[in-house]
Amino acid sequence: MVGQSRKWMILVATTWIQAFTGTNFDFSSYSSTLKSVLGISQVQLNYLSVASDMGKVFGWCSGVSLMYFPLWVVMFMAAFLGLFGYGVQWLVIKQIITLPYFPVFLLCLVAGCSICWFNTVCFVLCIRNFPTNRALALSLSISFNGVTAALYTLIANAINHDDDTLYLFLNALVPLLASILALIPILRQPPLQLLSTDVISQDSFIFIVLNVLAVITGLYLLLLNSLSSEALRARILLVGALMLLLLPLCLPGIVCGRNWARRTIHSRFCLDVSNFRLVDPDDLELHKELIGNNQNNGSSVNPFYETNKEGFFGKVMEKGRLTMLGEEHSARLLVRRWDFWLYYVAYFCGGTIGLVYSNNIGQIAQSLGYYSQISTVVTLYSSFSFFGRLLSAAPDFLRDKVYYARTGWLAVALVPTPIAFFLLAASGSEAALHAGTAMIGLSSGFVFSAAVSITSELFGPNSASVNHNILITNIPIGSLLYGLLAALVYDSNVKSSMQENSLEEAMVCMGRDCYLQTFICWGCISMLGLISSFLLFLRTRPAYDDYERNRSPAQFS
């Protein structure tokens, strides 16, 4: 019982870490001030954003560190990387010290590394402590990364609504405090145990409770954040948000109380909840059995192959496709898979482009004349990204009722992105800005969260940490290319208004033209991502169907 309580405390600790370490999402809140202090162009500002995303290229360093250091040491290494990277930037933006452009670029790179290291720590904690409900634990933990901007907006407004430089100060200090708070649960990790059917049913109940609390937290931040413009109200709302984050601490009591109730009341009222579970206990070993069966029986033919082996399209769809889920892929085998590159393009043209949009929200809102609403739009993106991450658990919750390949859910999740960009291109109204931002946040949030589970399912759970770091190399590439496109269009439109602006404001572009061409290009690129995800779904659907057919008999055996 103690071990079961401890593992839930670890999951709560990962949600705390994620909630306060998504520091790349509030870049738009202070980017305009940083641009002004450094006296740089939009292209140079884009390179700083790219530097932060480049931290993901060095994500493998955190995995290597875990081979030599305990988890808690790696967590504090991440915290001190952020403290240094963001802390020195705060000194620069407050004009306490003066640094040239290149050292600031390196500081952004160091700060970006800290985010990736925190993510690795949380992934490892979830995978180690929830082997059966891995996807549910990951989606819940990762989802809280989407509320960081909303939480930091509340904290900044509670201190000083007019000081944009506070975000850098919070980025430096708050993750360190969150790490200290999460230290005790991490040090008290329970040993791995074989789970009984009753324990799995109990876990499913608690996951539902946690997801309900997460939805309430997201709605609270989304609906009430707009009321935080005054310091007093912001402080009251901040207290409420912190209480919602601390509420899951009651989970050990829920675990003990529910078991006591079942022991004392079950025999009287004959309550049978043994069938209440989200994930079957046989699922952990099923992919191993499928791999063994596939190796012993190479003549099995899938109906999809029989109906599509004729014609050019059928040959393309069949060439080198995955035949089963869970088969381990080395890095060398991974990059030779067509399915991986379809997946890579879908992420590159879908989730990554949404992240680049979030980095440009500050300049987009400013150019459309909504400078005073930057924090509101950032919070909107953050909140809907949070809900998108929560929705990534839908395949697991609906598994027994409506089974659908996870790659199919990915394709559906990418549909709102091109719609949002074409809407933003068609209208510069406040309503269009809010609606487009919400759709992009929802879509990209789903992709960010679902990607870990999809990588694990398609290319093997044991290789997921390495393979996922290979996948997310698309983020700094996309950040560079998409951001550079936006910056070049932005700077080219600055010239038309230079005569009307003072020298201090010469690098500020105003009007719809600042991002019109960018939105059209981004919309077309996101259509490519949607097509790629649909092709990935068609190629992987037979493997998912085979897995589900083998899973169903296992449930009743």
Side-chain angles (χ1 to χ4, degrees):
M1 176 55 61
V2 175
Q4 289 298 305
S5 298
R6 286 181 183 176
K7 79 174 186 181
W8 292 109
M9 291 299 296
I10 289 172
L11 182 59
V12 174
T14 65
T15 62
W16 291 343
I17 294 172
Q18 290 287 315
F20 292 106
T21 59
T23 48
N24 54 326
F25 289 109
D26 64 4
F27 179 77
S28 294
S29 298
Y30 60 85
S31 59
S32 296
T33 305
L34 183 63
K35 177 182 175 182
S36 175
V37 169
L38 295 177
I40 57 178
S41 67
Q42 186 67 21
V43 172
Q44 291 173 305
L45 181 66
N46 172 68
Y47 289 146
L48 296 183
S49 173
V50 171
S52 178
D53 292 331
M54 279 180 63
K56 295 176 176 61
V57 175
F58 301 98
W60 58 272
C61 297
S62 57
V64 173
S65 299
L66 286 171
M67 298 172 61
Y68 301 99
F69 301 104
L71 266 170
W72 67 271
V73 173
V74 176
M75 178 179 68
F76 277 102
M77 289 169 68
F80 283 108
L81 282 172
L83 181 65
F84 175 74
Y86 286 118
V88 179
Q89 284 185 72
W90 177 74
L91 295 176
V92 171
I93 203 172
K94 293 294 289 185
Q95 301 184 34
I96 297 174
I97 63 173
T98 302
L99 289 177
Y101 178 77
F102 185 68
V104 177
F105 179 90
L106 294 179
L107 289 171
C108 291
L109 179 62
V110 171
C113 288
S114 73
I115 300 169
C116 192
W117 283 45
F118 275 123
N119 289 340
T120 301
V121 168
C122 291
F123 295 164
V124 171
L125 285 171
C126 289
I127 291 171
R128 281 185 184 176
N129 292 279
F130 294 89
T132 304
N133 292 304
R134 182 191 304 117
L136 289 170
L138 284 170
S139 64
L140 182 68
S141 176
I142 295 170
S143 66
F144 276 87
N145 198 245
V147 302
T148 302
L151 286 170
Y152 278 30
T153 298
L154 272 181
I155 299 173
N157 288 345
I159 300 173
N160 185 353
H161 178 267
D162 299 321
D163 188 1
D164 294 340
T165 65
L166 274 173
Y167 289 95
L168 277 170
F169 179 78
L170 296 174
N171 288 353
L173 187 61
V174 174
L176 178 60
L177 298 178
S179 300
I180 295 172
L181 188 64
L183 179 61
I184 294 178
I186 291 175
L187 290 176
R188 293 170 57 84
Q189 284 189 74
L192 294 178
Q193 308 173 15
L194 292 175
L195 302 182
S196 65
T197 302
D198 289 341
V199 172
I200 293 174
S201 300
Q202 174 180 282
D203 286 2
S204 301
F205 168 76
I206 296 177
F207 269 114
I208 290 177
V209 173
L210 282 174
N211 276 273
V212 170
L213 287 175
V215 170
I216 293 172
T217 303
L219 289 174
Y220 178 90
L221 291 172
L222 174 64
L223 299 177
L224 299 181
N225 211 294
S226 60
L227 304 176
S228 64
S229 56
E230 294 183 5
L232 179 59
R233 280 189 293 186
R235 290 165 190 165
I236 295 173
L237 292 174
L238 177 60
V239 171
L242 293 177
M243 288 179 64
L244 286 172
L245 290 175
L246 293 173
L247 196 57
L249 286 173
C250 302
L251 273 174
I254 294 175
V255 173
C256 297
R258 189 167 182 269
N259 277 277
W260 175 85
R262 290 188 64 185
R263 287 196 305 269
T264 57
I265 303 175
H266 176 78
S267 58
R268 295 184 181 180
F269 293 94
C270 300
L271 296 176
D272 184 10
V273 293
S274 60
N275 292 324
F276 179 64
R277 55 186 177 224
L278 300 176
V279 178
D280 192 87
D282 295 323
D283 286 354
L284 272 181
E285 303 299 327
L286 184 55
H287 79 275
K288 297 179 182 178
E289 298 174 9
L290 291 175
I291 293 172
N293 292 339
N294 185 71
Q295 292 171 343
N296 296 329
N297 183 14
S299 61
S300 59
V301 180
N302 192 281
F304 183 85
Y305 176 81
E306 293 180 344
T307 58
N308 291 276
K309 64 182 179 181
E310 299 294 338
F312 175 77
F313 181 74
K315 292 178 180 178
V316 170
M317 294 305 297
E318 286 296 324
K319 183 176 181 180
R321 70 171 179 84
L322 290 167
T323 57
M324 68 184 62
L325 300 183
E327 186 176 5
E328 298 296 336
H329 285 63
S330 64
R332 180 176 297 180
L333 178 59
L334 181 77
V335 298
R336 293 168 60 187
R337 282 283 191 187
W338 284 36
D339 296 299
F340 170 74
W341 291 111
L342 285 173
Y343 183 30
Y344 194 94
V345 172
Y347 198 118
F348 178 70
C349 299
T352 298
I353 207 168
L355 179 62
V356 176
Y357 173 81
S358 73
N359 291 337
N360 284 269
I361 285 177
Q363 280 67 47
I364 291 171
Q366 183 182 34
S367 67
L368 294 174
Y370 306 121
Y371 181 79
S372 62
Q373 296 190 35
I374 289 178
S375 62
T376 301
V377 180
V378 170
T379 299
L380 188 68
Y381 177 89
S382 173
S383 299
F384 274 88
S385 175
F386 171 73
F387 289 124
R389 292 162 191 256
L390 280 181
L391 283 175
S392 68
D396 300 286
F397 282 104
L398 302 177
R399 186 173 191 170
D400 293 328
K401 296 181 180 179
V402 182
Y403 179 74
Y404 201 55
R406 203 183 297 270
T407 49
W409 287 92
L410 175 68
V412 173
L414 289 177
V415 171
T417 302
I419 297 174
F421 283 127
F422 291 133
L423 173 63
L424 289 167
S427 174
S429 67
E430 181 180 345
L433 176 63
H434 288 177
T437 300
M439 285 191 286
I440 294 169
L442 189 71
S443 178
S444 58
F446 188 102
V447 174
F448 296 147
S449 184
V452 182
S453 297
I454 293 174
T455 303
S456 176
E457 289 175 347
L458 295 184
F459 309 113
N462 295 332
S463 308
S465 58
V466 174
N467 292 342
H468 190 69
N469 278 320
I470 296 174
L471 171 70
I472 61 176
T473 56
N474 78 84
I475 293 179
I477 298 173
S479 182
L480 173 62
L481 296 179
Y482 301 146
L484 184 60
L485 168 66
L488 290 173
V489 173
Y490 182 97
D491 283 345
S492 68
N493 284 281
V494 169
K495 298 177 182 179
S496 62
S497 58
M498 285 185 67
Q499 295 179 350
E500 301 176 6
N501 293 335
S502 65
L503 181 63
E504 183 180 354
E505 299 176 339
M507 301 308 292
V508 177
C509 179
M510 298 298 295
R512 284 187 58 200
D513 290 341
C514 300
Y515 281 93
L516 179 60
Q517 295 177 354
T518 301
F519 289 148
I520 295 173
C521 291
W522 284 356
C524 294
I525 292 170
S526 59
M527 284 294 295
L528 176 62
L530 178 60
I531 293 170
S532 182
S533 67
F534 182 68
L535 292 176
L536 176 67
F537 165 61
L538 292 180
R539 284 174 58 88
T540 58
R541 182 174 58 179
Y544 276 97
D545 289 344
D546 285 345
Y547 184 87
E548 184 64 14
R549 277 193 296 270
N550 284 274
R551 173 181 173 269
S552 297
Q555 284 183 304
F556 300 101
S557 62

